[in-house]
Amino acid sequence: MDTYPSGEPDVQDWSGVVRGEPITLRHPAGTQLRGILDMRTEDASVLWIQLHDGGGRRLVHHADGFRLHRG
C-alpha cells in the first residue's frame, strides 16, 4: 500500500468502502475527485461518487487508474 505526502494510505481493494463514506480518488495525471461514496458494484470494480461542491455524481472504474483514499 502506497502513501501520499499527507501520510494517509491509499486503498486499492475497493470492497471495504461503504456507502456514505467520504472518499478521495486521485489519478496519477493530477485529477482529484472528492465526495461521498454513493454506490459500488458487488465486485467493487465500479464506484459512484457524489462529488462535493455540487459536482454531480461520477462513475469510476477500478481500471481508470484512480487511487482511493478514505476521508
Side-chain angles (χ1 to χ4, degrees):
M1 195 176 320
D2 296 330
T3 58
Y4 277 75
S6 66
E8 66 190 51
D10 66 356
V11 179
Q12 293 324 300
D13 177 2
W14 293 2
S15 64
V17 294
V18 295
R19 188 174 190 185
E21 187 172 349
I23 60 172
T24 301
L25 295 166
R26 294 184 180 138
H27 195 275
T31 303
Q32 180 170 285
L33 306 173
R34 297 185 66 130
I36 303 295
L37 178 65
D38 185 37
M39 281 296 238
R40 71 171 170 78
T41 56
E42 191 167 321
D43 69 356
S45 65
V46 176
L47 303 177
W48 286 265
I49 181 174
Q50 184 68 44
L51 299 170
H52 289 321
D53 301 324
R57 189 172 182 242
R58 172 101 179 250
L59 180 144
V60 179
H61 190 275
H62 198 274
D64 291 341
F66 283 92
R67 309 291 284 191
L68 187 143
H69 301 265
R70 289 190 153 115

